Amino acid sequence: QVQLVESGGGLVQAGGSLRLSCAASGRTFSSYNMGWFRQAPGKEREFVAAIRWSGGNIWYGDSAKGRFTISRDNAKNTVDLQMNNLKPEDTAVYYCAATSSGRTTYRSSYPYWGQGTQVTVSS
């Protein structure tokens, strides 16, 4: 299996930026498609962004609004999420996930998940 550990979350003011990072270990990282999801209290886990193992195909959820950028470095076994112009509604626990499925925008496609990192955006 794949073990995933997120980092980079924290408290920022609206309009600020954060860069989340996900470090992978276990099975070969470069063979997996990677995704970022988020979950606010009392809400369903929401798709944010995904990237193919090659890095050549990227998808964003509506919540990204052109403000977020996903990237990966297979040599370092990491996937990042650059978050700019953050808004209070971005407040959530952000999860990194890995899948061998091509259905990268679906939560159910991901068997491997990190523990999550908290992002809080103040007004």
Side-chain angles (χ1 to χ4, degrees), residues 43-120:
K43 296 185 178 180
E44 292 287 304
R45 194 165 297 187
E46 176 188 24
F47 171 73
V48 177
I51 186 168
R52 284 271 180 88
W53 66 269
S54 65
N57 296 89
I58 294 173
W59 300 262
Y60 293 104
D62 291 340
S63 60
K65 301 179 179 68
R67 300 173 293 124
F68 299 171
T69 302
I70 188 172
S71 61
R72 69 189 298 163
D73 187 337
N74 289 345
K76 298 180 179 179
N77 289 356
T78 58
V79 58
D80 289 359
L81 184 70
Q82 178 66 46
M83 310 169 68
N84 297 328
N85 191 25
L86 285 162
K87 303 175 181 180
E89 52 262 43
D90 295 319
T91 296
V93 177
Y94 283 72
Y95 297 90
C96 175
T99 181
S100 59
S101 171
R103 295 167 53 86
T104 52
T105 64
Y106 296 89
R107 181 180 58 202
S108 60
S109 297
Y110 291 83
Y112 306 114
W113 295 84
Q115 82 292 338
T117 185
Q118 177 71 48
V119 172
T120 302

